[in-house]
Amino acid sequence: MSYLELLKLASPEATVVVTALIVLAIGLTNAKAAKISSFVVLIGLAVAVTAVLMLPAKATLFSGMIAITPLTSLFKIILLILAAITVLLGQPKLPHRSEFLAMLLLATIGLML
C-alpha cells in the first residue's frame, strides 16, 4: 500500500487534525476570532463528512488494525455531526474559544479512531 492510498483512507481524520491546527493558529494570531474559529471548524467538519462518504465500502489499514466498514463510516459521520452540534451550541463568550475548539476536534479524532 502506497502512502497516497493510506492518506486517502485516513483523509477524514487528517482533515480534522488539519482543521484543529488551523483553529489553533487563528487563536494565536487573533484573540477575538471566536466566530471565525467556529466557522472554520464547521467547514472542516463538513469536509470530513464528505471525505467519509467518499471512502470505500471495505478496507483495512495497518495490517487490519483499523478497518473501514459501513458501520464505522456511519459512526464517524455521527461523531462529526455531534461535534458540529457542540460547536453550534457552545458558549461563544469563552475566553479561550480556539483552544476549546481544538480540544473538541482532537477528542473527535480519538473517538473516530
Side-chain angles (χ1 to χ4, degrees), residues 29-87:
T29 57
N30 190 357
K32 299 190 184 228
K35 291 182 181 180
I36 296 171
S37 297
S38 297
F39 183 70
V40 169
V41 168
L42 291 175
I43 295 285
L45 291 174
V47 170
V49 168
T50 305
V52 170
L53 293 174
M54 297 174 83
L55 289 175
K58 291 193 179 230
T60 58
L61 294 170
F62 306 117
S63 302
M65 289 174 50
I66 298 175
I68 297 173
T69 63
L71 182 63
T72 58
S73 295
L74 175 68
F75 187 67
K76 287 179 184 183
I77 290 171
I78 290 170
L79 288 172
L80 292 168
I81 291 172
L82 288 175
I85 291 171
T86 304
V87 170

Side-chain angles (χ1 to χ4, degrees), residues 1-2 7 11 13 19 23-24 33 39 61 63 70-72 82 87-89 91-92 94-95 104 107 111 113:
M1 175 176 284
S2 69
L7 184 62
S11 61
E13 290 85 0
T19 304
V23 167
L24 279 175
F39 183 70
L61 294 170
S63 302
L71 182 63
T72 58
L82 288 175
V87 170
L88 291 174
L89 294 177
Q91 294 293 330
L94 289 174
L104 174 72
L111 290 170
L113 292 176

Side-chain angles (χ1 to χ4, degrees), residues 1-12:
M1 175 176 284
S2 69
Y3 288 116
L4 186 59
E5 292 173 3
L6 178 67
L7 184 62
K8 188 186 294 185
L9 293 175
S11 61

